[in-house]
Amino acid sequence: MPTAAPAAPLTNTSIEGAIDHLKASYPDAISADDREGYGGIIVDSAQLLDIARVIRDELGFDYLSSATAVDYLGAGDHMEMVYHAYRSSGGGTLVFKAQTDRDNAEIPSLVSVWRGADFQEREAWDLYGIRFPGHPNLKRILMWEGFHGHPMRKDWREAYYEEELKPFDSRWPGGHVHRAEEKNVFGKNVSYPREIDLSRLMDTSETAVYQSLGLGVDVERVMDKDGFETNELVVNMGPHHPSTHGVFRMVLTVDGETVTSLEPVMGYLHRNHEKIGERNTYLHNIPFTDRLDYISSMGNNHGYVLAVEQLLSLGRRYNEPTYRCEALRVMMVELSRIVNHLWAIGFWLNDIGAFFTPVLYFIQERERILDFFEAVAGSRMMCNYMRFGGLFADLPERLKSVSNLTNDRVRDYNTMQFLTEMVSERIPRTIDELEQLLTQNEILIERSVGVGVLSAEDAINYSAAGPLLRGSGVPYDIRRADPYSIYEELDFDVAVEDAGDMYARYRVRVKELRESVRILRQILPRLEATKGQSIWADGKPGAYAPRVPLGEAYGRVENGKGELGYYIVSAGGRSGTANPWRYHVRAPSFINLTPMGIMSKGYKVADIVGILGSIDIVLGETDR
Amino acid sequence: MYGTGLAKGLLLTLRHFVDSYIDDIRYGFRKYSHSVDNFGVRQGTQTKGVITVQYPDEKVAVPERFRFVPFLIIEDEDHPTRAGKDWCTSCGICAKVCPPQCIWIVRGNDPVTGRPVPEPEAFFIDIDICMNCGYCAEYCPFDAIKMDHDYELASYDRTTHHIHDKDRLSKPNSYWRSIAPTRAYEEMLSRGTWEHKDAAKEARRGQTSSRPSAPRPAAQAAPAPAQPAAQATPAPAASAGGATPWSEDDAKREERRRKALERKARRAAKRGG
Amino acid sequence: MDLNLQELNATEFPVPAELESNIAITSLSQLYNWGRRNSMWPMLFGLACCAIEMIATASSRFDFSRFGFEVMRATPRQADLMIVSGTVTKKMVVPIVRLYNQMPEPKYVLAMGACASGGGPFKEGYNVVSGMDKYLPVDVYVPGCPPTPQALLYGMIALQRKIDGQSIANGDDVPWYGAGSAEPTPVPVLGPDIIDPRQMDMIRRQAERAAQEMTALGTRELPAAMQLAPAKTAASTAAPAEAAPANGNALAYELPTGGTPWTEAEDIREKRRLRALARKALRASRRASAEEE
């Protein structure tokens, strides 16, 4: 075997080895990204497609996690697509980038290599105006068709634009209050291009949605077959629909009851998280991350602070978070994972017909956990608990309240006792009840077994993450595959099911609930042991404007919904500010919708809401 | 056998149904009791299931760290030297750390010299923008802005009610101490005084010149005010910010105030003589 | 449930002393309001984070069914109350207005949370509508981000109080009993930016001005009276005291005087308010004259 030998080991090489192999194969097209604080390689966009195939097939990076654009206006004046790929068997991330002009931005589409790039490339087109030749369905995804401009470009300004970066000068010391509406003629957050033509004004967003489905009556087919007419029917679901988990919309074509194609339409909750995030300082973004996946805000905080801590660790004055801080983080994240899964299972049952009884049972437990969050972090949902290198505050001695309003009733619990009771009794009991109620329920089994099947290959190729990926038999959990925080020393199993259907995803979630309880059981003694230790490495809270060194970072965590990644580019000294240059969220809810189309094909209309429910999306994160 | 899973589930719902009555019997007439024993247990971890909060008749009191919209702390009306004075020095840190930039501060200027004075001339918070994140309170170096616990703010007209100005925002220090006794106590420890930093500075200046060994106020305010008995007392008048519920502490403050006055008198005498 | 006999008897009609505790005289309004306020079905309509708290409010622990917000209906045709629970985006406001038009009257709108009230933390975003009241008449605003379930309950009770204060004799309180059919709210159009048909004329005028290079479309110089926030210059920190308005507090609340009201919705509301005041005054004078006679 003279030449075929390297094929097998190549899929096991380290990241450096992989880069070396690529450099050897494509010496002209690949250069190392040697900007300060950056990593990975820059690929010539002319050969991107070939190289991507090599990366996937020869090097084994079969999972494209994140693909995002960066606008380097004033810093090279180019657009850049940044791809994060890794192996579904575990290990680090291969970062590769392709650059293009700002004016005529064009980068070959990678959809033919990784289907998971589909929505992400559409997003880059929508927000950055980068065209992707070869993309099968390149149209706007978050904004509507016909919107003026590509809003994430650095030189695009919104109607209420005030200043490039926060904090705004108008707030202090001469902060005479005004509302942004007062500065706009229309009193609204709108601005129109100069060349607006009102005589031919029409809403093109709807037609664009339907055009992509190739609709329109095919007369020949209709009149065919002995006068017996069958028509494909278009069914629109959402954005206001009781089972779309928010303002999500699906346009289906059905043949009888059977779905022949499904097109997700989103952006109804696109609230410009990233644009605002690039104006914010690093600190400002933490409470904004709460509002991404608003069911599990602790996990969002965690991913973001990990990414920024990665950047901070490039600098000199950086202290690792203390052990107690890490333990508290893990505890909070696991509690919010429990909340997330209880919520997901409950609402999935709503979707498949068990209307509200299971939800009401499960969110009872959520209320207790939220009470705990409220007492520790200050808010039930928007916890805003983590800080760079630390936390907002340590656990209070007692979870207690003070009477303030009329008829206020006071509660007072010992924190550790409350936690212990939660972890050892209440949550396991709820999970038992959940299983008793559902796992063997014949109706549930008949509704969900064999429905919404996603094969392992498709799950990987479509960049599915979280329970959706593990429900398809891929044992990929970032807590194990690429451990962060103190997960390495904790004892838990990766939940996995092979069937790839709705029921398998449900089973994965139940298993993860149990694993979370197992983790929490290990965390509690660690909290007792570290009692008295500061949550800050140097004993005092971090600064509100940390000096973040130049560079890029990609921090990812296993959130309830899947891989939550934050890609952050620090301008560091370039702009001399505490604001990120690029702030991108690799949202699991968003990317998990990519396989929605193939998962629904061939199933009945009534299964669609169930399939969507089993993916478990939150619109705040889908649309950002 | 087909149907056992279903039956099991139905059994569970039946058990929940029965449990709800058992809870009713268990709590019966004590349902509306004020005490921690009843309400705390019913809304805590030891009860089965969840029991409805009869909202306007009984409200779940929010925990100390709860954050809603911010408010500004001013000195109590009965403070000897700084009554009604802002704690805020208009340093602008809250406006800088505010993520949605909803804080507007007009820094005060001395009318004669035109130089900035450490108090805000105007202070606005647009609660239609505020995201209740609590940064302003967290990063305020003077403990002058805090997150309020009063969430009952619904209004019929946002144009007139939703920009809180300084009058609306200002609440006395005693109010903060009544809604968050533990945290107020912790802040006092780190600040070294129950009063504003400046007041302490003034006091210390007086001490070092006259009697260096005098104990600092912090040492006097010994036991943590976190006594459950104190909180179990019925609610004081809500936002009026009346008297603090702990009388023991009041006495201590009174004591300190008396000592401060004595010191002042001594100093005046010294200067005179 | 809340029929208080004492309250009901407090009318201007004379009640014979011997009958005082035996009969209940109420105006039709009160009966009508009582019925309406206690059967207010919200629409099952979640937008964003606040929707989760809305569900928590509906669930067993807080349970808004206790107030007659009995059950959430997924279809607007069966709903009386639209709880706008979350950030309203430009893309979403189109269906929202359409849904509102589909709701049968009487209908109410409750803006839940900072976003629905005034844009919230995302206000500056290019796809965010800064407040539901830019497009629909809002009855109650519940601040908070998100409002806790108890805060939402307080807002819902506030809505009930508002209904209690209404009178069916007053066409401004209950416009749906007026003559003729109700005008649907015009549905916004998604053009290059969102276009409110009610502002079409203004957009056209601005477009003409922009074509003549007069002002940028969508922004403008403020009239002198409104220069509340002087641009910060290096000198402004040391600016003399009179540069700042003497009473900054009052400025926050005043709508620009002399100019046109900002939105048509606000205009309508203002007119309604004035009309209501006029009616009230009229009623009072009638009553006074009746008493004199």
Side-chain angles (χ1 to χ4, degrees), chain C residues 136-160:
Chain C
L136 298 178
V138 174
D139 293 284
V140 175
Y141 300 88
V142 183
C145 190
T148 59
Q150 302 193 82
L152 177 62
L153 281 176
Y154 182 81
M156 294 171 115
I157 293 170
L159 178 65
Q160 292 189 328

Short mmCIF file of all heavy atoms in Angstrom, two decimals, chain C residues 136-160:
data_model
loop_
_atom_site.label_atom_id
_atom_site.label_comp_id
_atom_site.label_asym_id
_atom_site.label_seq_id
_atom_site.Cartn_x
_atom_site.Cartn_y
_atom_site.Cartn_z
N LEU C 136 -51.16 50.75 16.69
CA LEU C 136 -52.47 50.40 17.24
C LEU C 136 -52.73 51.21 18.50
O LEU C 136 -51.79 51.58 19.20
CB LEU C 136 -52.51 48.91 17.61
CG LEU C 136 -52.34 47.89 16.49
CD1 LEU C 136 -52.37 46.50 17.07
CD2 LEU C 136 -53.42 48.05 15.45
N PRO C 137 -53.99 51.46 18.82
CA PRO C 137 -54.27 52.13 20.09
C PRO C 137 -54.03 51.16 21.25
O PRO C 137 -54.59 50.07 21.28
CB PRO C 137 -55.75 52.50 19.97
CG PRO C 137 -56.30 51.54 18.99
CD PRO C 137 -55.20 51.19 18.05
N VAL C 138 -53.20 51.55 22.18
CA VAL C 138 -52.87 50.69 23.31
C VAL C 138 -53.63 51.17 24.53
O VAL C 138 -53.69 52.37 24.79
CB VAL C 138 -51.35 50.68 23.57
CG1 VAL C 138 -51.02 49.90 24.81
CG2 VAL C 138 -50.63 50.10 22.38
N ASP C 139 -54.22 50.25 25.26
CA ASP C 139 -55.00 50.63 26.43
C ASP C 139 -54.16 50.67 27.70
O ASP C 139 -54.29 51.57 28.50
CB ASP C 139 -56.17 49.67 26.61
CG ASP C 139 -57.17 49.82 25.49
OD1 ASP C 139 -57.92 50.80 25.53
OD2 ASP C 139 -57.16 48.99 24.57
N VAL C 140 -53.34 49.65 27.88
CA VAL C 140 -52.54 49.60 29.10
C VAL C 140 -51.10 49.25 28.74
O VAL C 140 -50.86 48.40 27.89
CB VAL C 140 -53.10 48.54 30.09
CG1 VAL C 140 -52.18 48.42 31.29
CG2 VAL C 140 -54.47 48.92 30.55
N TYR C 141 -50.18 49.95 29.38
CA TYR C 141 -48.77 49.65 29.20
C TYR C 141 -48.26 49.01 30.48
O TYR C 141 -48.50 49.52 31.57
CB TYR C 141 -47.96 50.92 28.96
CG TYR C 141 -48.38 51.69 27.75
CD1 TYR C 141 -49.38 52.64 27.84
CD2 TYR C 141 -47.77 51.49 26.54
CE1 TYR C 141 -49.77 53.38 26.73
CE2 TYR C 141 -48.15 52.21 25.42
CZ TYR C 141 -49.15 53.14 25.52
OH TYR C 141 -49.53 53.86 24.42
N VAL C 142 -47.57 47.90 30.33
CA VAL C 142 -46.97 47.26 31.50
C VAL C 142 -45.45 47.32 31.34
O VAL C 142 -44.90 46.62 30.52
CB VAL C 142 -47.42 45.79 31.62
CG1 VAL C 142 -46.85 45.16 32.87
CG2 VAL C 142 -48.92 45.70 31.63
N PRO C 143 -44.78 48.16 32.10
CA PRO C 143 -43.32 48.24 31.95
C PRO C 143 -42.64 47.04 32.57
O PRO C 143 -43.25 46.28 33.32
CB PRO C 143 -42.95 49.52 32.69
CG PRO C 143 -44.19 50.09 33.23
CD PRO C 143 -45.27 49.08 33.12
N GLY C 144 -41.38 46.91 32.27
CA GLY C 144 -40.60 45.79 32.81
C GLY C 144 -39.97 45.03 31.67
O GLY C 144 -40.46 45.06 30.55
N CYS C 145 -38.87 44.36 31.97
CA CYS C 145 -38.19 43.66 30.89
C CYS C 145 -37.67 42.33 31.38
O CYS C 145 -36.52 42.22 31.74
CB CYS C 145 -37.06 44.52 30.33
SG CYS C 145 -36.37 43.84 28.83
N PRO C 146 -38.43 41.29 31.39
CA PRO C 146 -39.87 41.30 31.17
C PRO C 146 -40.62 41.58 32.46
O PRO C 146 -40.06 41.40 33.53
CB PRO C 146 -40.13 39.86 30.73
CG PRO C 146 -39.09 39.08 31.42
CD PRO C 146 -37.91 39.96 31.58
N PRO C 147 -41.88 42.00 32.37
CA PRO C 147 -42.66 42.15 33.59
C PRO C 147 -42.83 40.78 34.24
O PRO C 147 -43.00 39.79 33.54
CB PRO C 147 -44.01 42.67 33.09
CG PRO C 147 -43.81 43.06 31.69
CD PRO C 147 -42.66 42.28 31.17
N THR C 148 -42.75 40.73 35.53
CA THR C 148 -42.98 39.45 36.20
C THR C 148 -44.47 39.11 36.06
O THR C 148 -45.28 39.98 35.74
CB THR C 148 -42.62 39.55 37.67
OG1 THR C 148 -43.42 40.57 38.25
CG2 THR C 148 -41.17 39.90 37.86
N PRO C 149 -44.83 37.86 36.28
CA PRO C 149 -46.24 37.51 36.18
C PRO C 149 -47.12 38.41 37.04
O PRO C 149 -48.21 38.80 36.63
CB PRO C 149 -46.29 36.07 36.67
CG PRO C 149 -44.96 35.52 36.32
CD PRO C 149 -44.00 36.65 36.49
N GLN C 150 -46.61 38.78 38.20
CA GLN C 150 -47.43 39.63 39.06
C GLN C 150 -47.59 41.02 38.47
O GLN C 150 -48.65 41.64 38.58
CB GLN C 150 -46.82 39.70 40.45
CG GLN C 150 -46.69 38.32 41.06
CD GLN C 150 -46.37 38.38 42.55
OE1 GLN C 150 -47.26 38.54 43.35
NE2 GLN C 150 -45.13 38.23 42.90
N ALA C 151 -46.55 41.50 37.82
CA ALA C 151 -46.65 42.82 37.19
C ALA C 151 -47.66 42.77 36.04
O ALA C 151 -48.43 43.71 35.84
CB ALA C 151 -45.30 43.26 36.66
N LEU C 152 -47.68 41.67 35.32
CA LEU C 152 -48.66 41.54 34.24
C LEU C 152 -50.07 41.47 34.81
O LEU C 152 -50.98 42.11 34.29
CB LEU C 152 -48.36 40.30 33.40
CG LEU C 152 -49.36 40.03 32.29
CD1 LEU C 152 -49.40 41.16 31.29
CD2 LEU C 152 -49.05 38.74 31.57
N LEU C 153 -50.22 40.72 35.90
CA LEU C 153 -51.54 40.64 36.52
C LEU C 153 -51.99 42.04 36.94
O LEU C 153 -53.15 42.40 36.77
CB LEU C 153 -51.50 39.73 37.74
CG LEU C 153 -51.54 38.23 37.45
CD1 LEU C 153 -51.40 37.46 38.73
CD2 LEU C 153 -52.84 37.86 36.76
N TYR C 154 -51.06 42.81 37.48
CA TYR C 154 -51.41 44.18 37.88
C TYR C 154 -51.89 44.97 36.67
O TYR C 154 -52.88 45.69 36.74
CB TYR C 154 -50.19 44.84 38.52
CG TYR C 154 -50.47 46.24 39.00
CD1 TYR C 154 -51.10 46.44 40.21
CD2 TYR C 154 -50.11 47.34 38.23
CE1 TYR C 154 -51.37 47.72 40.66
CE2 TYR C 154 -50.38 48.62 38.67
CZ TYR C 154 -51.00 48.81 39.88
OH TYR C 154 -51.28 50.07 40.31
N GLY C 155 -51.20 44.79 35.55
CA GLY C 155 -51.61 45.49 34.34
C GLY C 155 -52.98 45.04 33.87
O GLY C 155 -53.78 45.85 33.41
N MET C 156 -53.26 43.76 34.01
CA MET C 156 -54.57 43.27 33.57
C MET C 156 -55.67 43.79 34.47
O MET C 156 -56.77 44.12 34.01
CB MET C 156 -54.55 41.74 33.57
CG MET C 156 -53.59 41.19 32.53
SD MET C 156 -53.39 39.42 32.70
CE MET C 156 -54.10 38.87 31.18
N ILE C 157 -55.36 43.90 35.75
CA ILE C 157 -56.35 44.47 36.66
C ILE C 157 -56.54 45.95 36.33
O ILE C 157 -57.66 46.47 36.38
CB ILE C 157 -55.92 44.25 38.12
CG1 ILE C 157 -55.95 42.76 38.44
CG2 ILE C 157 -56.83 45.00 39.07
CD1 ILE C 157 -55.32 42.41 39.74
N ALA C 158 -55.45 46.60 35.96
CA ALA C 158 -55.55 48.01 35.56
C ALA C 158 -56.48 48.15 34.35
O ALA C 158 -57.24 49.10 34.25
CB ALA C 158 -54.17 48.56 35.24
N LEU C 159 -56.39 47.20 33.45
CA LEU C 159 -57.28 47.23 32.28
C LEU C 159 -58.73 47.09 32.72
O LEU C 159 -59.62 47.78 32.23
CB LEU C 159 -56.89 46.12 31.31
CG LEU C 159 -57.77 46.01 30.07
CD1 LEU C 159 -57.62 47.25 29.22
CD2 LEU C 159 -57.41 44.79 29.26
N GLN C 160 -58.95 46.19 33.68
CA GLN C 160 -60.33 46.03 34.17
C GLN C 160 -60.83 47.32 34.81
O GLN C 160 -61.97 47.70 34.65
CB GLN C 160 -60.38 44.88 35.17
CG GLN C 160 -60.13 43.55 34.52
CD GLN C 160 -60.39 42.40 35.46
OE1 GLN C 160 -60.19 42.51 36.66
NE2 GLN C 160 -60.85 41.29 34.91
#
